[in-house]
Coordinates of all heavy atoms in Angstrom, one line a residue:
M1 N 70.7 97.0 249.5 CA 70.9 97.8 248.3 C 69.7 98.6 248.0 O 68.6 98.2 248.1 CB 71.1 96.7 247.1 CG 71.1 97.3 245.7 SD 72.7 98.1 245.3 CE 73.8 96.6 245.3
Q2 N 69.9 99.9 247.8 CA 68.8 100.8 247.5 C 68.9 101.4 246.1 O 69.9 101.4 245.4 CB 69.0 102.0 248.5 CG 68.7 101.6 249.9 CD 68.2 102.7 250.8 OE1 68.8 103.8 250.8 NE2 67.1 102.6 251.5
A3 N 67.7 101.8 245.7 CA 67.6 102.4 244.4 C 66.6 103.5 244.4 O 65.7 103.5 245.3 CB 67.2 101.4 243.3
Y4 N 66.6 104.4 243.4 CA 65.7 105.5 243.4 C 64.4 105.1 242.7 O 64.4 104.6 241.6 CB 66.3 106.7 242.7 CG 65.4 107.9 242.7 CD1 65.3 108.7 243.9 CD2 64.6 108.3 241.7 CE1 64.6 109.9 244.0 CE2 63.8 109.4 241.7 CZ 63.8 110.2 242.9 OH 63.0 111.3 242.9
C5 N 63.2 105.3 243.4 CA 61.9 105.0 242.9 C 61.4 106.3 242.3 O 61.2 107.3 243.1 CB 61.0 104.4 243.9 SG 59.3 104.1 243.2
V6 N 61.0 106.3 241.0 CA 60.5 107.6 240.4 C 59.1 107.8 240.9 O 58.6 109.0 240.8 CB 60.5 107.5 238.8 CG1 62.0 107.4 238.4 CG2 59.8 106.3 238.3
K7 N 58.4 106.9 241.3 CA 57.0 107.1 241.7 C 57.0 107.6 243.1 O 56.2 108.5 243.5 CB 56.2 105.8 241.6 CG 55.5 105.6 240.3 CD 54.3 104.6 240.5 CE 53.6 104.5 239.2 NZ 52.5 103.6 239.2
C8 N 57.7 107.0 244.0 CA 57.8 107.4 245.4 C 58.7 108.6 245.6 O 58.7 109.3 246.6 CB 58.3 106.2 246.3 SG 57.3 104.8 246.2
R9 N 59.5 108.9 244.6 CA 60.5 110.0 244.6 C 61.4 109.9 245.8 O 61.6 110.9 246.5 CB 59.7 111.3 244.6 CG 59.1 111.5 243.3 CD 58.4 112.8 243.2 NE 57.7 113.0 241.9 CZ 56.9 114.0 241.6 NH1 56.7 114.9 242.6 NH2 56.3 114.1 240.5
K10 N 61.9 108.7 246.1 CA 62.9 108.6 247.2 C 63.7 107.3 247.0 O 63.2 106.4 246.2 CB 62.2 108.6 248.5 CG 61.3 107.5 248.8 CD 60.6 107.7 250.2 CE 59.7 106.5 250.5 NZ 59.1 106.7 251.8
M11 N 64.7 107.2 247.7 CA 65.4 105.9 247.7 C 64.7 104.8 248.5 O 64.1 105.0 249.6 CB 66.8 106.1 248.4 CG 67.7 107.1 247.8 SD 68.1 106.7 246.1 CE 69.3 105.4 246.3
V12 N 64.6 103.6 247.8 CA 63.9 102.5 248.5 C 64.8 101.3 248.4 O 65.7 101.2 247.6 CB 62.5 102.2 247.8 CG1 61.6 103.4 248.0 CG2 62.8 101.9 246.4
G13 N 64.5 100.3 249.3 CA 65.3 99.1 249.2 C 64.7 98.3 248.0 O 63.6 98.2 247.7
I14 N 65.7 97.7 247.3 CA 65.3 96.9 246.1 C 64.7 95.6 246.5 O 65.4 94.8 247.3 CB 66.5 96.7 245.2 CG1 67.1 98.0 244.7 CG2 66.1 95.8 244.0 CD1 68.2 97.8 243.7
Q15 N 63.5 95.3 246.1 CA 62.9 94.0 246.4 C 63.0 93.0 245.4 O 62.8 93.3 244.2 CB 61.4 94.2 246.8 CG 60.8 93.1 247.5 CD 59.3 93.5 247.9 OE1 58.5 93.8 247.1 NE2 59.1 93.3 249.2
G16 N 63.4 91.8 245.7 CA 63.6 90.7 244.7 C 64.7 91.1 243.6 O 64.6 90.8 242.4
G17 N 65.7 91.8 244.0 CA 66.7 92.2 243.1 C 67.6 91.2 242.5 O 67.8 90.2 243.2
K18 N 67.9 91.3 241.3 CA 68.8 90.3 240.6 C 69.7 91.1 239.7 O 69.4 92.1 239.1 CB 68.1 89.3 239.9 CG 67.3 89.7 238.7 CD 66.7 88.4 238.0 CE 65.9 88.9 236.8 NZ 65.3 87.7 236.1
E19 N 71.0 90.5 239.5 CA 71.9 91.2 238.6 C 71.6 90.9 237.1 O 71.4 89.7 236.8 CB 73.3 90.6 239.0 CG 73.9 91.3 240.2 CD 75.4 91.0 240.4 OE1 76.0 90.6 239.4 OE2 75.8 91.0 241.5
V20 N 71.6 91.9 236.3 CA 71.5 91.6 234.9 C 72.5 92.4 234.2 O 73.0 93.5 234.6 CB 70.1 92.1 234.4 CG1 69.0 91.2 234.9 CG2 69.8 93.5 234.6
V21 N 73.0 92.0 233.0 CA 73.9 92.6 232.2 C 73.2 93.3 231.0 O 72.4 92.6 230.3 CB 75.1 91.7 231.7 CG1 76.0 92.5 230.8 CG2 75.8 91.2 232.8
V22 N 73.4 94.5 230.9 CA 72.6 95.3 229.7 C 73.6 95.9 228.8 O 74.6 96.5 229.2 CB 71.7 96.4 230.3 CG1 71.0 97.2 229.2 CG2 70.7 95.7 231.3
D23 N 73.4 95.7 227.5 CA 74.2 96.4 226.5 C 73.8 97.8 226.3 O 72.7 98.1 225.9 CB 74.1 95.6 225.1 CG 75.3 94.8 224.9 OD1 76.4 95.2 225.1 OD2 75.1 93.7 224.3
T24 N 74.6 98.7 226.7 CA 74.4 100.2 226.4 C 75.3 100.7 225.3 O 76.2 100.0 224.9 CB 74.6 101.0 227.7 OG1 76.0 101.1 228.0 CG2 73.9 100.3 228.9
K25 N 75.1 101.9 224.9 CA 75.9 102.5 223.9 C 77.3 102.6 224.3 O 78.3 102.7 223.6 CB 75.3 103.9 223.6 CG 74.1 103.9 222.7 CD 73.5 105.3 222.5 CE 72.2 105.1 221.8 NZ 71.5 106.5 221.8
R26 N 77.5 102.7 225.7 CA 78.9 102.8 226.2 C 79.5 101.5 226.6 O 80.3 101.5 227.5 CB 78.8 103.8 227.4 CG 78.5 105.2 226.9 CD 78.7 106.2 228.0 NE 78.6 107.6 227.5 CZ 78.9 108.7 228.1 NH1 79.4 108.6 229.4 NH2 78.8 109.9 227.6
G27 N 78.9 100.4 226.2 CA 79.4 99.0 226.6 C 78.5 98.4 227.5 O 77.4 98.9 227.9
K28 N 78.8 97.2 227.9 CA 78.0 96.4 228.8 C 78.1 96.9 230.2 O 79.2 97.1 230.7 CB 78.5 95.0 228.7 CG 78.0 94.2 227.4 CD 78.4 92.8 227.5 CE 77.9 92.0 226.2 NZ 78.2 90.7 226.2
K29 N 76.9 97.0 230.8 CA 76.9 97.4 232.3 C 76.1 96.5 233.1 O 75.2 95.9 232.5 CB 76.4 98.8 232.4 CG 77.4 99.9 232.0 CD 76.9 101.3 232.5 CE 77.9 102.3 232.1 NZ 79.2 102.2 232.7
K30 N 76.5 96.3 234.3 CA 75.8 95.5 235.2 C 74.8 96.3 236.0 O 75.1 97.3 236.5 CB 76.8 94.8 236.2 CG 76.7 93.3 236.3 CD 77.5 92.8 237.5 CE 78.8 92.3 237.2 NZ 79.5 91.7 238.4
F31 N 73.6 95.8 236.1 CA 72.5 96.5 236.8 C 71.9 95.5 237.9 O 71.9 94.3 237.7 CB 71.4 96.9 235.9 CG 71.7 98.1 235.0 CD1 72.3 97.9 233.9 CD2 71.3 99.4 235.4 CE1 72.6 98.9 233.0 CE2 71.6 100.4 234.5 CZ 72.2 100.2 233.3
M32 N 71.5 96.2 239.0 CA 70.7 95.4 239.9 C 69.2 95.8 239.6 O 68.8 96.9 239.8 CB 71.1 95.8 241.3 CG 70.3 95.0 242.4 SD 70.5 93.3 242.5 CE 72.1 93.2 243.2
M33 N 68.4 94.9 239.2 CA 67.0 95.1 238.9 C 66.1 94.5 239.9 O 66.3 93.4 240.3 CB 66.7 94.5 237.4 CG 67.6 95.0 236.3 SD 66.9 96.5 235.5 CE 65.6 95.7 234.5
G34 N 65.0 95.3 240.2 CA 64.1 94.7 241.2 C 62.9 95.6 241.2 O 62.6 96.3 240.3
A35 N 62.2 95.4 242.3 CA 60.9 96.2 242.4 C 60.9 97.1 243.7 O 61.6 96.8 244.6 CB 59.7 95.3 242.4
C36 N 60.2 98.2 243.6 CA 60.1 99.0 244.8 C 59.1 98.2 245.8 O 58.0 97.9 245.4 CB 59.4 100.3 244.3 SG 58.9 101.4 245.8
P37 N 59.5 98.2 247.1 CA 58.6 97.5 248.0 C 57.3 98.3 248.4 O 56.4 97.6 249.0 CB 59.6 97.3 249.2 CG 60.5 98.5 249.1 CD 60.7 98.7 247.6
I38 N 57.2 99.5 248.0 CA 56.1 100.3 248.4 C 55.1 100.4 247.3 O 53.9 100.0 247.5 CB 56.5 101.8 248.7 CG1 57.5 101.8 249.8 CG2 55.4 102.7 249.0 CD1 58.3 103.1 250.0
C39 N 55.5 100.6 246.0 CA 54.5 100.7 245.0 C 54.6 99.6 243.9 O 53.9 99.5 243.0 CB 54.6 102.1 244.3 SG 56.2 102.4 243.5
G40 N 55.8 98.9 244.0 CA 55.9 97.8 243.0 C 56.5 98.2 241.6 O 56.7 97.4 240.7
T41 N 56.8 99.5 241.5 CA 57.5 99.9 240.3 C 58.9 99.3 240.1 O 59.5 99.1 241.1 CB 57.6 101.5 240.3 OG1 56.3 102.0 240.3 CG2 58.3 102.0 239.0
K42 N 59.2 99.0 238.9 CA 60.6 98.5 238.6 C 61.6 99.6 238.9 O 61.5 100.7 238.5 CB 60.7 98.1 237.2 CG 60.2 96.7 236.9 CD 60.4 96.3 235.5 CE 59.6 95.1 235.1 NZ 59.7 94.8 233.7
V43 N 62.6 99.1 239.7 CA 63.8 100.1 240.0 C 65.0 99.4 239.6 O 65.1 98.1 239.6 CB 63.7 100.5 241.4 CG1 62.6 101.4 241.8 CG2 63.8 99.3 242.4
S44 N 66.0 100.1 239.2 CA 67.3 99.5 238.9 C 68.4 100.4 239.4 O 68.2 101.6 239.6 CB 67.4 99.3 237.4 OG 67.4 100.5 236.7
R45 N 69.6 99.8 239.6 CA 70.7 100.6 240.0 C 72.0 100.1 239.3 O 72.1 98.8 239.1 CB 70.9 100.4 241.5 CG 72.1 101.2 242.0 CD 72.4 100.7 243.4 NE 73.6 101.3 244.0 CZ 73.6 102.2 245.0 NH1 72.4 102.5 245.6 NH2 74.6 102.8 245.4
V46 N 72.8 100.9 238.8 CA 74.0 100.5 238.1 C 75.0 100.0 239.1 O 75.3 100.6 240.1 CB 74.7 101.8 237.3 CG1 75.9 101.2 236.5 CG2 73.6 102.3 236.3
L47 N 75.6 98.8 238.8 CA 76.6 98.3 239.6 C 78.0 98.5 239.2 O 79.0 98.6 239.8 CB 76.4 96.8 239.7 CG 75.1 96.3 240.5 CD1 75.0 94.8 240.4 CD2 75.0 96.8 241.9
G48 N 78.1 98.7 237.8 CA 79.4 98.9 237.2 C 79.5 98.3 235.8 O 78.6 97.7 235.3
N49 N 80.7 98.3 235.3 CA 81.0 97.7 234.0 C 81.0 96.2 234.1 O 81.5 95.6 235.1 CB 82.3 98.2 233.4 CG 82.3 99.7 233.1 OD1 81.3 100.2 232.7 ND2 83.4 100.3 233.5
A50 N 80.5 95.6 233.1 CA 80.4 94.0 233.1 C 81.5 93.5 232.2 O 82.0 94.2 231.4 CB 79.0 93.6 232.5
Ligands
ZN1 ZN1 57.9 103.2 244.8

C-alpha cells in the first residue's frame, strides 16, 4: 500500500500502517494511516467509506 508523502513529494510505501475510521463532513471514511519509511512523516490514504 502506498501513500503520498508531502515531505518527500512522492509516493512511498506506508510503514506500520493501520486502518482507522475518521468522521468527516461527508460521513465516515476509512483511512490507512502510517509513516513514511524515508522521513517518518505521517502519511495516510483513503480506503473508502466506512
Ligand atoms: Zn517522506
Side-chain angles (χ1 to χ4, degrees):
M1 173 80 61
Q2 292 204 311
Y4 184 78
C5 175
V6 292
K7 269 200 177 176
C8 301
R9 292 183 183 171
K10 64 178 180 181
M11 297 299 286
V12 296
I14 300 177
Q15 195 171 58
K18 63 173 182 180
E19 281 187 24
V20 294
V21 176
V22 179
D23 256 320
T24 71
K25 287 175 185 170
R26 295 189 171 190
K28 288 185 174 177
K29 285 201 181 288
K30 234 195 257 183
F31 286 85
M32 180 65 77
M33 302 267 285
C36 170
I38 300 163
C39 66
T41 296
K42 278 184 188 170
V43 294
S44 63
R45 181 193 175 112
V46 181
L47 295 177
N49 295 321

